[in-house]
């Protein structure tokens, strides 16, 4: 695996060889960026070598990933990624935008964006011969690790807060993972997982801790690049267009960092003309990263998180610094939305056939606010990510709509309510 040459600390820039470290920088705990051998990749591949690959999953981008082929053909592991992009002309018109699309990550095998990270983690676990993989999770990361592991018979242990939505806990259990519910917050589960991994020799997937999660998440950037390259002209976007603006909901900050990393990889290969503008969206009650962004610093001050969007409810974001940079270095910004705006976004996407969980609809809520604030112009092409399925949290979904009437089984009763 010569293309994977090591890691670079995002805080102190120290470089490490692949065998020297496993998780974060030993000096100050900084997140590690995976470094690839861009020179040899550039010599070996042209964009067409990637665009011409047949596999319709994130494994299409295997040449740009730091893991070997994990096998598992014909299983859900090979079905992660390659999610559809929908055009939203009705909402675009409402918002006064020329071009608006939504990439629907709820179509992943376990119904959230987290499958991208977990698929690559499972590949890494197989490469290093890890017997057990463990993660802390608000639900989706765990479901993804449980599902991707189940696909290839890998053992998985999941720590989640006992308050995780029942559908997510059910998913973990049904996939056959060892599920441990913690009487505490996600942050408590996170710290416990790190300790347990060290104690029992497990391979730890924790978001914003294991450098390979961002490598899985970057495949969304590759798909956006490929989709934009091939569908741009069809959609009538001129080649002189402003760069694509991408809206991403942010909790720990690993999705937004991973997407940024994907575009940086493409830039390093000389395959990307314009860096997209990346806008992070946080819930008002869980906005530690947005706070740092707007304070003009990279210092992340923990908060006491409270939001209906459980997947982005985080006291201390574990990938905050890179998440701030993802927006700062691409001309983006951070937007904060209320729980009420998140519920409205769920209700706005539903009638288009997109069922989003609160954290998934948060990105669209951010777009609505960004338009109102003038952060997005009418000719900006915009892509919103829906990161998770509404089936994950039915209780929240019911708060976004009015209840259905219950009637006597008579036509008269039907007439009355019509
Ligand atoms: C995890 C998650 C996010 C946020 O990702 P981070 O890497 O924590 O910022 C957003 N939406 C959904 C549905 C998620 O599961
Ligand atoms: Zn460091």
């Amino acid at each position: 695996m010569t293309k994977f040459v090591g890691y670079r600390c995002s805080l102190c820039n120290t470089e490490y060889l692949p065998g020297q470290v496993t998780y974060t920088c030993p000096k100050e705990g900084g997140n590690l960026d995976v470094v690839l051998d861009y020179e040899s990749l550039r010599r070996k591949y042209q964009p067409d070598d990637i665009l011409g690959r047949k596999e319709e999953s994130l494994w299409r981008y295997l040449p740009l990933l730091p893991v070997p082929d994990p096998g598992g053909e014909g299983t859900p592991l090979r079905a992660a990624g390659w999610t559809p992009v929908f055009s939203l002309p009705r909402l675009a018109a409402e918002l006064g935008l020329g071009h608006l699309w939504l990439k629907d990550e709820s179509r992943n095998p376990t119904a959230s964006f987290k499958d991208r990270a977990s698929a690559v983690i499972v590949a890494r676990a197989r490469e290093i011969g890890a017997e057990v993989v463990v993660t802390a999770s608000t639900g989706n990361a765990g479901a993804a690790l449980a599902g991707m592991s189940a696909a290839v018979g890998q053992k998985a242990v999941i720590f989640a807060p006992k308050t995780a939505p029942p559908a997510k806990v059910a998913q973990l259990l049904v996939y056959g993972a060892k599920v441990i519910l913690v009487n505490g917050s996600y942050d408590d589960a996170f710290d416990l997982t790190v300790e347990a991994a060290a104690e029992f020799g497990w391979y730890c997937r924790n978001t914003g801790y294991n450098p390979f999660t961002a490598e899985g998440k970057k495949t969304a950037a590759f798909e956006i690049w490929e989709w934009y390259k091939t569908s741009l002209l069809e959609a009538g976007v001129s080649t002189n267009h402003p760069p694509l603006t991408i809206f991403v909901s942010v909790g720990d900050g690993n999705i937004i960092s991973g997407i940024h990393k994907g575009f940086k990889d493409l830039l390093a290969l000389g395959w990307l003309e314009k860096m997209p503008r990346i806008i992070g969206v946080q819930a008002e009650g869980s906005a530690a990263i947005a706070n740092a962004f707007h304070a003009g610093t990279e210092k992340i001050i923990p908060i006491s998180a409270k939001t209906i969007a459980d997947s982005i409810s985080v006291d201390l974001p574990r990938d905050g610094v890179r998440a701030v940079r993802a927006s700062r270095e691409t001309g983006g910004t951070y937007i904060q939305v209320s729980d009420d705006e998140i519920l409205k976004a769920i209700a706005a996407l539903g009638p288009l056939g997109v069922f989003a969980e609160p954290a998934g609809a948060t990105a669209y809520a951010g777009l609505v606010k960004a338009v109102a604030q003038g952060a997005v112009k009418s000719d900006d092409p915009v892509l919103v990510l829906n990161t998770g399925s509404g089936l994950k949290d039915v209780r929240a979904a019911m708060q976004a709509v009015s209840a259905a009437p219950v009637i006597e089984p008579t036509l008269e009763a039907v007439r009355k309510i019509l």
Side-chain angles (χ1 to χ4, degrees), residues 285-300:
S286 179
I289 296 173
N291 291 343
F293 180 91
H294 289 295
T297 89
E298 289 186 344
K299 193 170 155 44
I300 310 294

Side-chain angles (χ1 to χ4, degrees), residues 62-334:
L62 189 59
L64 307 179
L65 295 176
V67 289
D69 191 320
E73 276 79 9
T75 74
L77 181 67
R78 303 302 294 204
W82 202 247
T83 53
V85 174
F86 304 130
S87 178
L88 306 182
R90 200 149 24 106
L91 291 184
E94 247 175 58
L95 296 170
L97 296 174
H99 299 282
L100 174 61
W101 299 275
L102 178 139
K103 186 166 174 66
D104 194 3
E105 292 291 314
S106 74
R107 303 301 189 91
N108 274 295
T110 80
S112 88
F113 191 104
K114 298 292 196 297
D115 281 347
R116 295 182 184 275
S118 291
V120 168
I121 289 287
V122 166
R124 177 66 176 167
R126 303 198 115 197
E127 181 185 17
I128 63 176
E131 206 181 307
V132 176
V133 189
V134 64
T135 195
S137 172
T138 60
N140 286 340
L145 184 62
M148 294 296 105
S149 295
V152 291
Q154 170 79 46
K155 278 195 197 126
V157 178
I158 315 295
F159 288 85
K162 71 167 193 211
T163 52
K168 293 183 181 178
V169 177
Q171 227 184 339
L172 299 174
L173 292 165
V174 169
Y175 286 133
K178 173 134 195 81
V179 181
I180 301 168
L181 297 180
V182 179
N183 188 11
S185 66
Y186 166 62
D187 296 77
D188 295 326
F190 190 104
D191 295 336
L192 182 59
T193 303
V194 169
E195 279 175 52
E199 179 72 17
F200 304 115
W202 299 336
Y203 184 50
C204 183
R205 176 221 177 274
N206 276 11
T207 295
Y209 181 66
N210 188 313
F212 283 79
T213 60
E215 291 297 299
K217 289 170 176 181
K218 78 180 184 183
T219 57
F222 295 162
E223 287 173 25
I224 292 168
W225 164 75
E226 180 168 352
W227 157 77
Y228 206 52
K229 228 174 151 50
T230 51
S231 72
L232 177 93
L233 295 174
E234 280 168 45
V237 183
S238 98
T239 43
N240 277 328
H241 58 91
L244 183 65
T245 299
I246 303 174
F247 282 79
V248 189
S249 61
V250 176
D252 269 316
N254 194 242
I255 291 183
I256 196 168
S257 309
I259 288 175
H260 189 209
K261 171 66 158 55
F263 287 120
K264 284 192 290 187
D265 278 1
L266 294 171
L267 216 51
L269 292 167
W271 295 359
L272 183 68
E273 282 165 36
K274 284 183 188 164
M275 175 60 90
R277 195 157 65 113
I278 306 176
I279 297 186
V281 187
Q282 290 209 284
E284 277 172 4
S286 179
I289 296 173
N291 291 343
F293 180 91
H294 289 295
T297 89
E298 289 186 344
K299 193 170 155 44
I300 310 294
I301 300 168
I303 44 97
S304 184
K306 193 173 181 326
T307 168
I308 193 169
D310 66 293
S311 300
I312 50 172
S313 183
V314 181
D315 294 349
L316 174 61
R318 308 291 170 149
D319 207 348
V321 173
R322 293 192 302 187
V324 166
R325 289 177 188 166
S327 289
R328 196 167 279 154
E329 292 175 6
T330 64
T333 185
Y334 267 83

